[in-house]
Amino acid sequence: MPKKKYVMASLLALPLAAALTGCDVGELMQDKADKSTTRNAATSEQAVKDGILPGWVPSGGSNVQLVQRNTGSERIFVMDYAGKLPGKSCTPVKTPGKPSGKELAAAYATDERVKRMDPEEISATRTLEADWWPDGAQSRTTDLCGRFWVHQSDGKLYAFAPDAVATVEKIQQERQQESAASN
């Protein structure tokens, strides 16, 4: 008998939660892919130590700002840094802004998060936004550092780590649905 009470209480709790939050039950049951978190650090050393940035990031950077996808592996970050990229971890691309499939495969193979994925499963589309991220920054990529597309400009280091094609497609679909619902 007690199990029936818990089931009944659970069934009543869901509509109550929906009413209190202003959501419908469908919204409560659906995970959103288009969610992100912003993180900051005073130095690149602190950001690496705290797990905000990957281990390849050079020491000597400051004013670190990162936006990361909560439901995937996409990241964008910027930091003040005018030094050189670590040659052991970063490889220049032959054509700036257009890494080849071979270059991407070699770089992704060095990154634990994506090394078992086919490079074609990883999108080149950026979905994250930040006021400090220049439009088309990934099209200026000069180096690949693991899964990160990197370039430097005006004393800053910019890096973009793309997400899986399936995740990007889900985000784009969510945005289209939200846009259609608001019209």
mmCIF file of all heavy atoms in Angstrom, residues 16 23 28 31-32 38 40 43 46 48 52 57 82 86 102 127 129 135-136 143 175 183:
data_model
loop_
_atom_site.group_PDB
_atom_site.id
_atom_site.type_symbol
_atom_site.label_atom_id
_atom_site.label_comp_id
_atom_site.label_asym_id
_atom_site.label_seq_id
_atom_site.Cartn_x
_atom_site.Cartn_y
_atom_site.Cartn_z
ATOM 1 N N LEU A 16 1.750 20.411 -9.922
ATOM 2 C CA LEU A 16 1.916 21.472 -8.937
ATOM 3 C C LEU A 16 3.213 22.239 -9.208
ATOM 4 O O LEU A 16 3.230 23.469 -9.207
ATOM 5 C CB LEU A 16 1.921 20.910 -7.513
ATOM 6 C CG LEU A 16 2.133 21.922 -6.393
ATOM 7 C CD1 LEU A 16 1.012 22.960 -6.396
ATOM 8 C CD2 LEU A 16 2.218 21.228 -5.055
ATOM 9 N N CYS A 23 5.569 26.902 -15.941
ATOM 10 C CA CYS A 23 5.909 26.059 -17.087
ATOM 11 C C CYS A 23 4.796 25.050 -17.312
ATOM 12 O O CYS A 23 4.037 24.740 -16.405
ATOM 13 C CB CYS A 23 7.196 25.264 -16.815
ATOM 14 S SG CYS A 23 8.633 26.291 -16.534
ATOM 15 N N LEU A 28 8.896 20.911 -18.296
ATOM 16 C CA LEU A 28 9.607 20.320 -17.153
ATOM 17 C C LEU A 28 10.274 19.006 -17.525
ATOM 18 O O LEU A 28 11.310 18.658 -16.978
ATOM 19 C CB LEU A 28 8.646 20.083 -15.985
ATOM 20 C CG LEU A 28 8.205 21.316 -15.220
ATOM 21 C CD1 LEU A 28 7.162 20.930 -14.184
ATOM 22 C CD2 LEU A 28 9.366 22.016 -14.571
ATOM 23 N N ASP A 31 14.836 18.322 -21.432
ATOM 24 C CA ASP A 31 16.142 18.918 -21.179
ATOM 25 C C ASP A 31 16.448 19.894 -22.305
ATOM 26 O O ASP A 31 16.189 19.616 -23.466
ATOM 27 C CB ASP A 31 17.238 17.845 -21.142
ATOM 28 C CG ASP A 31 17.171 17.006 -19.888
ATOM 29 O OD1 ASP A 31 16.682 17.514 -18.865
ATOM 30 O OD2 ASP A 31 17.609 15.840 -19.938
ATOM 31 N N LYS A 32 17.031 21.009 -21.966
ATOM 32 C CA LYS A 32 17.405 22.010 -22.962
ATOM 33 C C LYS A 32 18.902 21.871 -23.248
ATOM 34 O O LYS A 32 19.714 21.820 -22.340
ATOM 35 C CB LYS A 32 17.123 23.422 -22.446
ATOM 36 C CG LYS A 32 15.666 23.694 -22.166
ATOM 37 C CD LYS A 32 14.987 24.117 -23.418
ATOM 38 C CE LYS A 32 13.589 24.598 -23.101
ATOM 39 N NZ LYS A 32 12.811 24.821 -24.261
ATOM 40 N N THR A 38 29.073 30.857 -17.588
ATOM 41 C CA THR A 38 30.217 31.745 -17.735
ATOM 42 C C THR A 38 31.129 31.569 -16.531
ATOM 43 O O THR A 38 30.666 31.487 -15.395
ATOM 44 C CB THR A 38 29.748 33.215 -17.816
ATOM 45 O OG1 THR A 38 28.881 33.336 -18.933
ATOM 46 C CG2 THR A 38 30.915 34.159 -17.971
ATOM 47 N N ASN A 40 35.204 32.791 -14.928
ATOM 48 C CA ASN A 40 36.313 33.739 -15.039
ATOM 49 C C ASN A 40 37.441 33.334 -14.104
ATOM 50 O O ASN A 40 37.215 32.641 -13.118
ATOM 51 C CB ASN A 40 35.839 35.151 -14.647
ATOM 52 C CG ASN A 40 34.702 35.635 -15.508
ATOM 53 O OD1 ASN A 40 34.859 35.770 -16.701
ATOM 54 N ND2 ASN A 40 33.557 35.882 -14.908
ATOM 55 N N THR A 43 44.058 34.630 -13.652
ATOM 56 C CA THR A 43 45.239 34.205 -14.410
ATOM 57 C C THR A 43 44.980 32.881 -15.115
ATOM 58 O O THR A 43 44.118 32.100 -14.704
ATOM 59 C CB THR A 43 46.468 34.014 -13.488
ATOM 60 O OG1 THR A 43 46.214 32.901 -12.626
ATOM 61 C CG2 THR A 43 46.764 35.273 -12.686
ATOM 62 N N GLN A 46 45.650 29.941 -12.727
ATOM 63 C CA GLN A 46 44.534 29.635 -11.831
ATOM 64 C C GLN A 46 43.410 28.937 -12.594
ATOM 65 O O GLN A 46 42.811 27.996 -12.090
ATOM 66 C CB GLN A 46 44.005 30.914 -11.161
ATOM 67 C CG GLN A 46 42.992 30.652 -10.058
ATOM 68 C CD GLN A 46 43.589 29.889 -8.887
ATOM 69 O OE1 GLN A 46 44.658 30.217 -8.400
ATOM 70 N NE2 GLN A 46 42.898 28.856 -8.442
ATOM 71 N N VAL A 48 43.657 26.993 -15.239
ATOM 72 C CA VAL A 48 44.042 25.602 -15.498
ATOM 73 C C VAL A 48 43.931 24.795 -14.204
ATOM 74 O O VAL A 48 43.369 23.696 -14.192
ATOM 75 C CB VAL A 48 45.467 25.516 -16.094
ATOM 76 C CG1 VAL A 48 45.966 24.078 -16.130
ATOM 77 C CG2 VAL A 48 45.490 26.126 -17.492
ATOM 78 N N ILE A 52 39.038 25.216 -15.292
ATOM 79 C CA ILE A 52 38.274 26.083 -16.185
ATOM 80 C C ILE A 52 38.829 25.967 -17.603
ATOM 81 O O ILE A 52 38.079 25.938 -18.573
ATOM 82 C CB ILE A 52 38.315 27.551 -15.696
ATOM 83 C CG1 ILE A 52 37.608 27.668 -14.345
ATOM 84 C CG2 ILE A 52 37.711 28.496 -16.723
ATOM 85 C CD1 ILE A 52 37.784 29.026 -13.671
ATOM 86 N N VAL A 57 46.917 25.348 -22.052
ATOM 87 C CA VAL A 57 46.896 26.813 -22.010
ATOM 88 C C VAL A 57 48.175 27.320 -21.352
ATOM 89 O O VAL A 57 48.540 26.887 -20.258
ATOM 90 C CB VAL A 57 45.642 27.330 -21.269
ATOM 91 C CG1 VAL A 57 45.694 28.832 -21.076
ATOM 92 C CG2 VAL A 57 44.386 26.921 -22.044
ATOM 93 N N ALA A 82 50.067 37.714 -24.869
ATOM 94 C CA ALA A 82 50.798 38.104 -26.083
ATOM 95 C C ALA A 82 51.972 37.170 -26.378
ATOM 96 O O ALA A 82 52.717 37.398 -27.328
ATOM 97 C CB ALA A 82 51.303 39.537 -25.947
ATOM 98 N N PRO A 86 52.172 27.011 -26.945
ATOM 99 C CA PRO A 86 53.069 25.881 -26.684
ATOM 100 C C PRO A 86 53.155 24.949 -27.892
ATOM 101 O O PRO A 86 52.162 24.352 -28.295
ATOM 102 C CB PRO A 86 52.426 25.190 -25.479
ATOM 103 C CG PRO A 86 51.003 25.631 -25.479
ATOM 104 C CD PRO A 86 50.971 26.968 -26.146
ATOM 105 N N LYS A 102 42.418 16.324 -42.186
ATOM 106 C CA LYS A 102 43.610 15.638 -41.666
ATOM 107 C C LYS A 102 44.164 16.371 -40.439
ATOM 108 O O LYS A 102 44.535 15.742 -39.449
ATOM 109 C CB LYS A 102 44.665 15.550 -42.770
ATOM 110 C CG LYS A 102 45.865 14.714 -42.430
ATOM 111 C CD LYS A 102 46.805 14.609 -43.631
ATOM 112 C CE LYS A 102 48.002 13.757 -43.294
ATOM 113 N NZ LYS A 102 48.921 13.624 -44.431
ATOM 114 N N THR A 127 27.955 28.038 -31.438
ATOM 115 C CA THR A 127 26.621 28.426 -30.982
ATOM 116 C C THR A 127 26.675 29.307 -29.736
ATOM 117 O O THR A 127 25.684 29.923 -29.383
ATOM 118 C CB THR A 127 25.743 27.194 -30.684
ATOM 119 O OG1 THR A 127 26.312 26.458 -29.608
ATOM 120 C CG2 THR A 127 25.592 26.307 -31.916
ATOM 121 N N GLU A 129 27.741 32.520 -27.400
ATOM 122 C CA GLU A 129 27.897 33.954 -27.634
ATOM 123 C C GLU A 129 28.513 34.613 -26.403
ATOM 124 O O GLU A 129 28.291 34.173 -25.283
ATOM 125 C CB GLU A 129 26.530 34.612 -27.887
ATOM 126 C CG GLU A 129 25.772 34.068 -29.079
ATOM 127 C CD GLU A 129 26.379 34.452 -30.408
ATOM 128 O OE1 GLU A 129 27.055 35.498 -30.481
ATOM 129 O OE2 GLU A 129 26.171 33.702 -31.385
ATOM 130 N N ASP A 135 33.024 38.529 -33.941
ATOM 131 C CA ASP A 135 32.291 37.802 -34.990
ATOM 132 C C ASP A 135 33.279 37.062 -35.885
ATOM 133 O O ASP A 135 34.279 37.632 -36.318
ATOM 134 C CB ASP A 135 31.459 38.766 -35.839
ATOM 135 C CG ASP A 135 30.211 39.246 -35.126
ATOM 136 O OD1 ASP A 135 29.740 38.540 -34.213
ATOM 137 O OD2 ASP A 135 29.715 40.325 -35.483
ATOM 138 N N GLY A 136 32.986 35.806 -36.143
ATOM 139 C CA GLY A 136 33.816 35.031 -37.062
ATOM 140 C C GLY A 136 35.209 34.706 -36.556
ATOM 141 O O GLY A 136 36.093 34.380 -37.343
ATOM 142 N N ASP A 143 45.944 28.001 -35.213
ATOM 143 C CA ASP A 143 46.498 26.812 -34.565
ATOM 144 C C ASP A 143 45.384 25.935 -34.022
ATOM 145 O O ASP A 143 44.311 26.429 -33.663
ATOM 146 C CB ASP A 143 47.396 27.213 -33.389
ATOM 147 C CG ASP A 143 48.643 27.934 -33.840
ATOM 148 O OD1 ASP A 143 48.562 29.160 -34.073
ATOM 149 O OD2 ASP A 143 49.676 27.280 -33.958
ATOM 150 N N ARG A 175 16.324 26.687 -30.830
ATOM 151 C CA ARG A 175 16.246 28.119 -31.126
ATOM 152 C C ARG A 175 15.145 28.406 -32.152
ATOM 153 O O ARG A 175 14.433 29.402 -32.030
ATOM 154 C CB ARG A 175 17.601 28.634 -31.609
ATOM 155 C CG ARG A 175 18.618 28.693 -30.483
ATOM 156 C CD ARG A 175 19.959 29.169 -30.960
ATOM 157 N NE ARG A 175 20.908 29.213 -29.845
ATOM 158 C CZ ARG A 175 22.186 29.496 -29.975
ATOM 159 N NH1 ARG A 175 22.713 29.781 -31.164
ATOM 160 N NH2 ARG A 175 22.991 29.515 -28.923
ATOM 161 N N ASN A 183 6.802 34.296 -32.003
ATOM 162 C CA ASN A 183 6.198 35.077 -33.091
ATOM 163 C C ASN A 183 4.712 34.941 -33.132
ATOM 164 O O ASN A 183 3.955 34.394 -32.697
ATOM 165 C CB ASN A 183 6.771 34.675 -34.450
ATOM 166 C CG ASN A 183 8.201 35.133 -34.586
ATOM 167 O OD1 ASN A 183 8.594 36.123 -33.991
ATOM 168 N ND2 ASN A 183 8.969 34.417 -35.378
#
